[in-house]
Every structure is written in C-alpha cells, then in structure tokens.
Amino acid sequence: MTSNIEALKPKRPHPFTSDIDLIVVNRRTDLQSIVEALVEGEIVLVKDFYSTGLAILAELKNYLKAQSSEENFKGQRDFRSMFCEISQRLLLPLKDNKIAIRKAPQIGWLKQLYPDISEFLLSFPDVQGLNSSWQWYEKGIMMKVIKQRLHPFYGTYFPTRFEHLELFANWLKNYNGQKNTAIDIGTGCGILSFQLLESGFKTVYATDVNENAIIGVDEEIKRMNLNDKLRLYYGDLFGTLDIRSELIVFNPPWLPASYNLSGLDKAIYYDTNLFPRFFEQALAHLEPRGKIVLIFSNLAQSSGLTNTHPVEEELSSGGRFKKDALICKKVRDASKKTKRDLSRRKDELVELWVLSAV
Ligand SMILES: C[S@@+](CC[C@H](N)C(=O)[O-])C[C@H]1O[C@@H](n2cnc3c(N)ncnc32)[C@H](O)[C@@H]1O
C-alpha cells in the first residue's frame, strides 16, 4: 500500500495571473534598455519570439559579468544569485497549455501542472527549467545500475553522475544479510529503491519530503508494475512509517545550507538538524542486527564549506552507532565542457558508510 499519494499536488513554477505592471518588449526593442529596466526592478514581458527572451538573458549575463570583479567561488555564487533574481522578472505568456509566442518549445508539463488555468504568465527561467525537465522525462535516463530507464518527474532530484550508485551496487552484490525489507529515505527519482528491488529485497519502503519525487516514483511503480513491492510515503525522514527493517539507506544532501531551504534545495543542502534527527529515528526503525548505509561525499570539506562531517560527528559523539565499513571512490573528472566548479570537484570522493547499532 502506498500512503496518501492521491491527495498530493505537485509543486510547479509560480503562475502570474493577476494584473501586474509590466513592460512589453519584442526583438526590435533595444536590448540594453531592457536589461537596465530588469536590473532596476521592472517586470518585462516578451511578446514575439522565444529567441527574444534568450537574447535578453544573454545580454543580462554579459551586463552582470562586466559588473562582477571576483573570479573566485564567492564571486561566481554572487553572480549566479543576482542572475537568478533578476531573470525571474522576465516573463512569457502561456495560453491553452502552450507558450503563446513564436518558435517556442512544446512542453508537456504545462498540461499536467496547470490543468486549472488557461491563460497566465511564467518567468523565462522557469519555462527553461520546465523545458529541460520535460526532455529528461520524455527521453528517460539510463543509469546503468538498473535495467530500466527512469523518467524523473518535474522538480525531482536525479543524479547525473553515477559513481555513488556504482559504489552502492557493488556493496549490494556482497551483502549477505536478510532481504525482507529495506527503507530508502529521500528516494528522489527512486534509483536506490529500484537497485534494492533488483538485488532481491522483497519490499522497499521509500519516503521523500518532496511531493514531486513521490508523485514521480508512483508513476514509475505503475509503469514497472511494482505495486506491492515499493511502498511510498510522503513526509519528513521516516514520516509515518512504523516498521523496523534490516537495511536503511539514505543518500542525503551533501552540502551544509546557508539559508532556509525549500523544494529542490533540500536535495542538495542540509540544515544542522537533519543528521541528528535522522540518526535518532533510524535507531527506532532498525532491526537489532540491521545496517544503515549512508551515501555521502567529501565535497563540502574539499571545497572549504565546512570542517565537519555529519556521519563522523554522529560516530564520535552520538553513542548510537558504530562504523562497520567506509568505502570510497574517486569521482571521475567532470566533462571539459563543464567549466563551472571544476577546481572544487577535482579531489572529490564519494563515500559509502555502513553503520550498525552499538
Ligand atoms: C541527494 S538526493 C538523493 C535522491 C536519491 N535517493 C538518489 O540517490 O538519487 C536527497 C533526497 O532526499 C530528500 N530529502 C531531503 N530532506 C529530507 C527529509 N527531511 N525527509 C525526507 N526526504 C528528504 C530530497 O527531497 C531528495 O530527494
């Protein structure tokens, strides 16, 4: 049985429907003056071609790059956050589930996510996000550690590098404990749950605090006919799950948060309470001889974001768990095309921690 899913509504980019003051532009409008208006806080609506919006964003990028003096990580982060904030004021019109300007992509999410409104406006970056998510969803992603392609739902985290999944697959091959039940906390696109099922676990209970992840994995369950084997729970950590299991897996966010988290951020950043709460609840859901597998990375430490490691902290001061194993794997160099963050990722290791109760 999968709990409380029918009632879930997917998160979607915010639609602007009421009258707002805005400046209407087209490809003949001077790009520099559009960028200046955006920077000053005006809202701008593109009315002719999709390419006009792309040209405005490119001009905005050049403008902000010229303003930014720092080339380092902080400089890049400031640039990105300015660009994100300002570009949200560039809007596009939508009508009858389509982008109502010329030469715009067709995005299936519009029909699925906005069945209740026929005419509205969305920010250009939100439309770009919907578009790229739709391409991944339609095509599906082959992650190599399972047989099927996965089709991640809009607004759901999915991995684009697979070293940690390979590490988990190897660990599972050598696992010789019982395989009755496993719990997958923060299932995302469901990949660890599907690995567990393929490796022979009879039933997997999966949770996530992101409703889109739960809705998406529910679709996969139906597509793969796994109804009784994979049971979904929407909620924080173990949510309403009241079982004990021989295996609990968690691939948590890997970076410490520096602001309040919402939506997809919770896949990447953790707040200070997440790990202590996880370990406390995990103890109450683990069979006496059960194992916890945590997939983590040294990324936050190697990039200087923190000196602390939440698993090491638990082991040294929690008094609840001991380390059975720690297996590490170097992350392959990022594609040369991806210039961003290359230096941060050069010494990156993914880690698989196996813990048991003391
Ligand atoms: C790094 S992603 C991993 C997703 C997937 N398990 C994988 O390995 O690709 C972390 C996931 O944990 C979820 N998450 C974060 N905080 C959570 C919480 N307090 N309770 C349940 N899920 C949470 C996020 O929504 C996200 O789907």
Side-chain angles (χ1 to χ4, degrees):
M1 187 198 74
T2 289
S3 84
N4 62 6
I5 290 177
E6 303 310 324
L8 290 181
K9 283 212 161 120
K11 286 226 180 73
R12 62 189 189 182
H14 175 69
F16 297 87
T17 46
S18 54
D19 282 345
I20 39 177
D21 276 342
L22 41 77
I23 302 172
V24 176
V25 300
N26 60 36
R27 62 179 166 172
R28 283 186 300 277
T29 317
D30 175 52
L31 280 178
Q32 222 176 325
S33 63
I34 301 174
V35 165
E36 277 163 19
L38 284 168
V39 171
E40 278 164 21
E42 302 280 0
I43 296 175
V44 170
L45 177 68
V46 176
K47 254 320 209 246
D48 59 349
F49 289 90
Y50 193 77
S51 56
T52 305
L54 291 174
I56 296 169
L57 289 185
E59 183 73 16
L60 175 63
K61 217 170 245 175
N62 289 339
Y63 173 89
L64 291 176
K65 282 227 166 97
Q67 307 283 310
S68 143
S69 52
E70 291 181 83
E71 281 282 304
N72 56 18
F73 176 56
K74 182 178 170 301
Q76 286 177 22
R77 201 171 52 185
D78 291 348
F79 163 78
R80 278 202 300 278
S81 84
M82 288 285 280
F83 182 75
C84 282
E85 187 200 316
I86 297 171
S87 59
Q88 280 295 327
R89 297 199 278 271
L90 181 65
L91 305 186
L92 289 181
L94 290 103
K95 192 169 179 203
D96 300 334
N97 305 318
K98 292 199 173 63
I99 304 171
I101 54 176
R102 292 170 68 190
K103 305 229 165 126
Q106 303 255 4
I107 307 174
W109 289 131
L110 296 173
K111 191 169 179 191
Q112 290 199 38
L113 298 177
Y114 300 94
D116 51 329
I117 357 179
S118 60
E119 270 190 70
F120 57 103
L121 307 174
L122 283 178
S123 84
F124 202 99
D126 283 347
V127 169
Q128 288 179 305
L130 285 163
N131 185 33
S132 85
S133 156
W134 183 251
Q135 317 275 334
W136 285 109
Y137 176 78
E138 270 220 305
K139 204 155 36 121
I141 304 169
M142 202 68 212
M143 298 191 190
K144 294 190 182 144
V145 289
I146 60 167
K147 292 193 200 95
Q148 304 87 342
R149 273 174 187 274
L150 291 185
H151 300 264
F153 196 83
Y154 172 74
T156 300
Y157 172 86
F158 59 91
T160 50
R161 299 152 138 234
F162 307 132
E163 286 86 355
H164 61 293
L165 302 179
E166 290 159 11
L167 211 53
F168 184 52
N170 281 336
W171 182 81
L172 270 178
K173 258 188 225 151
N174 297 315
Y175 171 80
N176 52 18
Q178 289 203 319
K179 289 189 172 176
N180 289 319
T181 64
I183 300 176
D184 173 17
I185 298 296
T187 192
C189 64
I191 180 64
L192 303 182
S193 290
F194 297 120
Q195 286 185 267
L196 287 161
L197 287 173
E198 276 198 10
S199 83
F201 275 82
K202 291 197 189 102
T203 313
V204 176
Y205 298 84
T207 76
D208 207 294
V209 78
N210 174 355
E211 46 278 75
N212 292 38
I214 296 294
I215 294 168
V217 179
D218 190 44
E219 280 190 359
E220 303 279 20
I221 290 176
K222 289 176 181 141
R223 237 190 317 263
M224 297 182 202
N225 253 328
L226 290 172
N227 279 342
D228 286 333
K229 290 176 151 265
L230 179 49
R231 304 179 188 192
L232 293 173
Y233 291 79
Y234 165 62
D236 177 63
L237 292 176
F238 291 78
T240 53
L241 258 184
D242 59 357
I243 56 150
R244 282 184 184 266
S245 174
E246 55 260 36
L247 181 62
I248 295 172
V249 300
F250 188 21
N251 174 12
W254 292 351
L255 300 175
S258 51
Y259 55 90
N260 283 342
L261 299 174
S262 64
L264 206 44
D265 290 342
K266 288 190 183 171
I268 314 284
Y269 300 101
Y270 61 84
D271 64 37
T272 45
N273 289 326
L274 180 74
F275 286 93
R277 289 193 308 111
F278 167 77
F279 285 116
E280 186 187 344
Q281 294 183 30
L283 196 60
H285 287 84
L286 197 62
E287 292 274 12
R289 291 216 299 279
K291 305 277 179 212
I292 294 185
V293 168
L294 273 149
I295 297 173
F296 208 64
S297 147
N298 68 346
L299 182 61
Q301 289 168 307
S302 68
S303 53
L305 291 177
T306 179
N307 290 325
T308 57
H309 187 302
V311 184
E312 285 170 4
E313 261 192 341
E314 167 63 27
L315 290 173
S316 66
S317 61
R320 294 177 274 220
F321 297 101
K322 63 182 169 48
K323 178 173 92 179
D324 290 351
L326 167 61
I327 313 163
C328 299
K329 186 174 166 82
K330 193 169 171 353
V331 175
R332 284 183 279 276
D333 286 344
S335 146
K336 297 214 167 53
K337 285 185 202 144
T338 322
K339 283 196 214 111
R340 177 146 72 85
D341 290 345
L342 265 189
S343 59
R344 283 205 308 149
R345 303 205 91 133
K346 138 167 109 39
D347 302 317
E348 189 181 346
L349 292 176
V350 283
E351 306 168 343
L352 184 142
W353 293 78
V354 186
L355 313 184
S356 55
V358 289

